[in-house]
Amino acid sequence: TKKSNRSPAIIIHNKLTMASFADAARFLLLTAVGIAGNPSTADAASASPVSGWRSDLDWAALNSKLSSSASLIDTSYDDYAGECRPEFSEPWDSISNHALIDQPSGMCLPWLYLGWEMSWPRPSENGHLNQTFNQAYQDILDLFNDASTDVESWLADPTNPSLNLPSKVLFPSIASDVVAAVNFAKEHGLEISVKNSGHSYQGASSKKNTLLLNMNRYTHYAPTGITDCDASILGSTVTEDLSNQPCLLSLAKNKSSLIRVGGGENFDKVYRAVIAANEEEGYKYHLVGGYAGTVSPMGWSWQGGLGGSTGGRLYGFGVDQVVQLEMVLPNGVHVKFGPTDWEDASAEGFTVPRTKVVSGVCRSNPDEHDEENWVWQSCPEDFDIDFNDMWFAVRGGGGGTWGVVTSVYLQLHDYLPFKSYLFNNPPFRTEKCTAIFPQFAEFVAHYMSAPSLLNVTKERSHACGSPDPRAGIYCHGEEDVMQAWTRFLDLNNSTDPANVACLFSSDKLASHYNLPAPPGYAEFMISFAKNLRADRFPGKVPDDPPGKIGADLAGVLVPQSWLDEGEENRKTLQENGTPYYYAFGGAAASGSDQANSLSQAHRNAAFMAYFSDDYFWGNLFPKMFDISDKTKFPPVFGSNHAGFLTAGPLKEDWTKPCPREWTFEERREKCISFQEAIYGTERLARLEAIKKAVDPQFIFNCVNCVGNNLPEASKSEDDEPSPAEAEPLLGNSSDETSGASFVSSF
Ligand SMILES: Cc1cc2nc3c(=O)[nH]c(=O)nc-3n(C[C@H](O)[C@H](O)[C@H](O)COP(=O)(O)OP(=O)(O)OC[C@H]3O[C@@H](n4cnc5c(N)ncnc54)[C@H](O)[C@@H]3O)c2cc1C
């Protein structure tokens, strides 16, 4: 091992510029750092280990089954160092995953350290189990403070046992490639990891000693994927091959169009497909999606999908946009499935029908490459996977663990005019505005979760969302944000016009740059990038500079009901939390089909916020959540933004944080797990039971995913309740409030 003599120049990732978009800016104490400096590729190459993972296997046999446009390649640390690391030498705010996604090895990750276990390059033989949380924290603090550490030598060491890189990468291009890979893995007892953007904060999309399926070259359906449903089919029965199921379900939701998206397409590609259709046909479509162009509807949707900038409060979470799923399951079968029977649930306060039955079909000719010739039929008699369970598990239970999603039909909504509002951002930034940011944060809190205090109706409030007040407010349809801001300043006796001007709309920005007002969120981001940031990828929806939520507490889903108890609760949060994520309430609360695994905490939340762990567990947790039943830990965190150090409190006392001086092994044993804190005890039990039923070999075993933390012995144990016994087949679990009771509260 050679130590590089290059000093690690640390770039702290906490600028509150317009360019520091929401997720990047969202940090507790030390979430985001990047290393500058060229890779020591030469050093690495000279010490490169032999890449021999499972060289005993007949990989040529797998190769022979792949389509001509798929490729299976050997990869090594050298590829990561040579192809991926240079990007992190770019100025911090122009680093982009757009530069990394298409690198030939398919290994690059948007956050350099994701290439090491737990995003922590300190060497460890057992995945850091023997090291303490304090050590991890200190290592990151050292980087934060530009203190001298051994990090450069860890990063440059190709034999570092903490490296977490796969040495076989498959780029499937059609479903038969995925079928071949899963069957090969099944036959040889291999694990598969699945990656789209690699953005998973938990590092769930890449893992050493796995066959990595990099989905980026998979068939792109979005460019021609929009379907306008013919309303005359309403009332027809679902065809046996489910071909009319997406439209029938959409029409039942009073929606008339949808889009098919491939398992490797990111939001940049999907947004641009929608823009192209809108430009061609006159603006009529709206897609709910993520903030950054490189985030994909895959992990984003399966983990929940917060649409803070794209109308999530009008149309629901990512899971609520899914109309039909097509997947290759861990048993190697290519299936598609979706609801085929539903009923009106408006009387209980839901805005979409309740799913009663989910049906699926299997492809009877899985080796056929040409999609024109695919044959979808009833699944064979020995096919023992329940599609109701799959529909529930995939939508909310996380990506990468239930199989490979090859395509999905997503709901499109009617187009609504768009406007964004930015506070104290270039080119209109002033010192005076910087000083009043706390007031602006308070204003946003009221606008989003107590609008009546500003004389704003709930409907108008729901038209807007915000991934972070520092990144702007994004509205679709009617709203009155400027008027409400003026009223807020009035109420606070601070009507100075300079204060009013701290908030400005996208229209003002556009006119400043002599551009047309952006008709939608993605258009706004594209033209914003062109004007205010280094535009390395013109025409693409930008992504954030690399961010990492690495702190000890993930985003807490703050219950609206607790907030409604009194203004003092809101004040407590303002004094102790960080800026909030507003993608909750409205249709995000009421848009559930009641057959998904997204935790009820999402539906009940007013927003998501970050706190220090000792303050949260000791003070807020017992007040915000019902912890009277000690056998059922409630769901607390949002999965999309949960970092690799996230854990619940002490098992024996839920008001105490998991001790930081403990090793990760002790923490795993004695603290509430990451998964339990995301899903809650009850829902997790059902998900784990489904996991064991659909993937008994644990072919899919991604980091921090459902089932990943189960002790080896219990993975094959049969003493678990069946999925249906663990929780009713469809519908809410008993310890959670119904959608209806929440809907009426906000
Ligand atoms: C810059 C940035 C902006 C973000 N903005 C938002 C936002 O606005 N709202 C929000 O809710 N979250 C947001 N997030 C969080 C984001 O939702 C998660 O990082 C999510 O994991 C990204 O999913 P992905 O598919 O892009 O990433 P990946 O890391 O590629 O995948 C995430 C998970 O999905 C699995 N997966 C990927 N593709 C497939 C597939 N085809 N089949 C099965 N499993 C698959 C992976 O195995 C992994 O487990 C943001 C994150 C970043 C870094």
Side-chain angles (χ1 to χ4, degrees):
T1 304
K2 294 179 188 165
K3 180 167 171 142
S4 161
N5 54 11
R6 209 179 290 279
S7 70
I10 309 303
I11 300 166
I12 305 302
H13 181 180
N14 63 353
K15 303 184 222 169
L16 298 185
T17 63
M18 179 74 170
S20 69
F21 293 99
D23 280 272
R26 189 171 304 113
F27 63 97
L28 284 176
L29 179 58
L30 42 86
T31 51
V33 289
I35 294 274
N38 290 324
S40 5
T41 314
D43 289 0
S46 61
S48 183
V50 179
S51 140
W53 180 67
R54 299 309 309 260
S55 51
D56 56 311
L57 299 180
D58 185 2
W59 291 96
L62 171 58
N63 232 333
S64 69
K65 295 209 163 85
L66 301 177
S67 65
S68 55
S69 42
S71 57
L72 173 65
I73 58 171
D74 289 316
T75 52
S76 72
Y77 166 86
D78 297 0
D79 298 313
Y80 195 72
E83 290 176 9
C84 317
R85 198 170 166 190
E87 179 62 15
F88 298 94
S89 308
E90 291 286 330
W92 168 78
D93 60 359
S94 67
I95 294 173
S96 171
N97 200 12
H98 281 303
L100 296 163
I101 275 185
D102 294 323
Q103 290 294 336
S105 71
M107 298 168 94
C108 294
L109 293 157
W111 163 247
L112 180 66
Y113 296 166
L114 277 169
W116 287 262
E117 286 170 307
M118 281 172 57
S119 276
W120 186 16
R122 179 180 281 273
S124 163
E125 294 289 346
N126 64 355
H128 302 295
L129 282 180
N130 58 328
Q131 294 163 344
T132 65
F133 181 99
N134 271 339
Q135 181 71 72
Y137 211 67
Q138 189 56 49
D139 279 348
I140 304 172
L141 270 181
D142 282 351
L143 291 170
F144 188 78
N145 294 323
D146 208 3
S148 156
T149 73
D150 286 331
V151 71
E152 184 58 36
S153 66
W154 302 337
L155 295 180
D157 179 2
T159 62
N160 183 339
S162 297
L163 268 168
N164 194 27
L165 302 171
S167 43
K168 287 272 182 205
V169 175
L170 170 64
F171 293 93
S173 77
I174 56 172
S176 305
D177 299 329
V178 180
V179 171
V182 174
N183 283 332
F184 188 80
K186 202 168 63 157
E187 186 184 340
H188 298 293
L190 303 181
E191 270 188 36
I192 285 181
S193 48
V194 191
K195 181 173 132 191
N196 192 317
S197 70
H199 270 309
S200 161
Y201 286 120
Q202 295 132 44
S205 45
S206 179
K207 190 176 173 187
K208 68 179 164 192
N209 299 333
T210 65
L211 168 60
L212 176 75
L213 266 54
N214 183 315
M215 297 298 288
N216 283 291
R217 299 183 201 162
Y218 195 80
T219 312
H220 291 172
Y221 292 108
T224 54
I226 294 182
T227 301
D228 289 320
C229 299
D230 176 357
S232 69
I233 68 164
L234 201 62
S236 323
T237 47
V238 178
T239 50
E240 260 176 47
D241 64 356
L242 297 187
S243 54
N244 66 354
Q245 180 272 338
C247 267
L248 283 174
L249 180 55
S250 298
L251 292 167
K253 294 180 176 178
N254 288 323
K255 305 286 172 186
S256 54
S257 44
L258 30 89
I259 184 166
R260 185 176 179 202
V261 175
E265 286 175 283
N266 59 24
F267 276 116
D268 168 57
K269 295 178 176 110
V270 187
Y271 285 140
R272 285 193 288 131
V274 175
I275 292 174
N278 274 335
E279 286 178 347
E280 200 178 309
E281 299 177 36
Y283 266 75
K284 60 186 223 186
Y285 304 114
H286 174 83
L287 176 80
V288 177
Y291 190 81
T294 52
V295 162
S296 93
M298 296 297 120
W300 181 83
S301 306
W302 318 141
Q303 294 172 253
L306 313 184
S309 50
T310 55
R313 303 176 76 225
L314 284 175
Y315 303 121
F317 293 111
V319 293
D320 304 326
Q321 312 307 316
V322 181
V323 186
Q324 187 186 82
L325 273 160
E326 181 200 315
M327 294 182 71
V328 176
L329 299 179
N331 61 8
V333 181
H334 187 199
V335 298
K336 60 177 184 172
F337 54 99
T340 49
D341 193 10
W342 48 81
E343 66 187 4
D344 181 69
S346 53
E348 300 114 69
F350 291 97
T351 49
V352 298
R354 187 179 89 93
T355 292
K356 285 172 72 185
V357 176
V358 178
S359 308
V361 284
C362 293
R363 180 145 73 93
S364 58
N365 56 348
D367 297 331
E368 170 61 48
H369 289 185
D370 185 350
E371 188 163 345
E372 293 277 310
N373 301 324
W374 286 2
V375 179
W376 294 106
Q377 287 181 334
S378 300
C379 294
E381 268 181 18
D382 61 351
F383 179 87
D384 56 1
I385 290 179
D386 184 330
F387 286 113
N388 292 292
D389 284 339
M390 289 307 297
W391 185 247
F392 170 86
V394 177
R395 293 175 320 125
T401 194
W402 310 106
V404 183
V405 177
T406 43
S407 82
V408 57
Y409 279 97
L410 297 176
Q411 194 67 69
L412 289 176
H413 306 271
D414 289 345
Y415 171 78
L416 287 172
F418 165 85
K419 215 177 269 183
S420 67
Y421 295 89
L422 305 167
F423 181 84
N424 193 27
N425 271 287
F428 307 116
R429 171 168 293 158
T430 67
E431 289 292 318
K432 196 172 167 70
C433 296
T434 306
I436 64 160
F437 178 75
Q439 284 97 307
F440 176 67
E442 196 180 334
F443 162 73
V444 181
H446 283 114
Y447 196 95
M448 301 293 169
S449 42
S452 60
L453 298 179
L454 298 169
N455 282 348
V456 171
T457 62
K458 284 178 189 172
E459 289 68 30
R460 291 195 166 201
S461 164
H462 294 156
C464 303
S466 172
D468 182 331
R470 292 170 296 195
I473 300 175
Y474 299 88
C475 303
H476 299 81
E478 277 199 71
E479 34 66 26
D480 48 10
V481 176
M482 285 312 296
Q483 212 184 328
W485 171 234
T486 313
R487 188 173 305 127
F488 175 84
L489 290 173
D490 262 350
L491 291 171
N492 289 282
N493 299 322
S494 95
T495 42
D496 182 344
N499 288 345
V500 176
C502 292
L503 188 66
F504 58 92
S505 73
S506 43
D507 290 357
K508 180 171 170 186
L509 196 64
S511 108
H512 177 85
Y513 289 110
N514 215 10
L515 286 167
Y521 168 72
E523 293 90 329
F524 167 74
M525 293 299 272
I526 292 170
S527 67
F528 162 76
K530 200 155 46 191
N531 288 288
L532 297 178
R533 290 176 70 177
D535 190 15
R536 295 175 61 208
F537 302 94
K540 291 196 173 190
V541 180
D543 70 341
D544 272 345
K548 192 77 205 91
I549 295 187
D552 42 328
L553 205 57
V556 171
L557 299 163
V558 175
Q560 177 76 43
S561 56
W562 179 77
L563 219 53
D564 289 343
E565 282 171 16
E567 193 54 13
E568 66 280 4
N569 286 351
R570 192 181 308 281
K571 290 220 158 57
T572 305
L573 293 190
Q574 262 153 22
E575 282 155 22
N576 298 288
T578 59
Y580 311 138
Y581 204 125
Y582 297 99
F584 303 84
S590 59
S592 169
D593 75 340
Q594 304 179 65
N596 57 80
S597 48
L598 191 65
S599 77
Q600 190 66 31
H602 282 85
R603 309 287 179 188
N604 292 351
F607 48 75
M608 194 169 72
Y610 297 85
F611 310 95
S612 71
D613 62 348
D614 46 357
Y615 177 75
F616 175 72
W617 297 118
N619 294 284
L620 295 178
F621 177 58
K623 295 177 192 148
M624 285 181 177
F625 295 89
D626 179 1
I627 56 170
S628 53
D629 182 346
K630 295 298 173 216
T631 65
K632 288 178 186 166
F633 192 81
V636 174
F637 298 132
S639 163
N640 290 75
H641 299 87
F644 53 93
L645 295 184
T646 303
L650 265 183
K651 279 183 187 168
E652 63 179 31
D653 182 351
W654 294 352
T655 65
K656 295 213 165 50
C658 194
R660 293 167 168 234
E661 61 278 13
W662 284 1
T663 62
F664 284 97
E665 190 159 27
E666 283 174 287
R667 287 168 66 87
R668 193 167 68 173
E669 196 187 317
K670 296 178 190 157
C671 299
I672 296 289
S673 69
F674 176 95
Q675 289 87 343
E676 204 168 353
I678 300 269
Y679 300 105
T681 309
E682 236 190 343
R683 186 140 296 188
L684 182 63
R686 176 169 178 203
L687 286 168
E688 286 174 349
I690 296 173
K691 174 69 185 168
K692 290 181 191 181
V694 302
D695 187 13
Q697 280 181 253
F698 277 70
I699 291 173
F700 296 89
N701 189 22
C702 44
V703 175
N704 280 333
C705 297
V706 168
N708 175 251
N709 61 327
L710 288 173
E712 280 311 309
S714 94
K715 287 181 178 169
S716 52
E717 272 170 15
D718 214 11
D719 58 354
E720 293 287 326
S722 74
E725 283 165 1
E727 203 184 5
L729 197 57
L730 295 174
N732 289 317
S733 55
S734 55
D735 66 338
E736 294 173 340
T737 42
S738 75
S741 67
F742 171 64
V743 175
S744 58
S745 78
F746 180 52

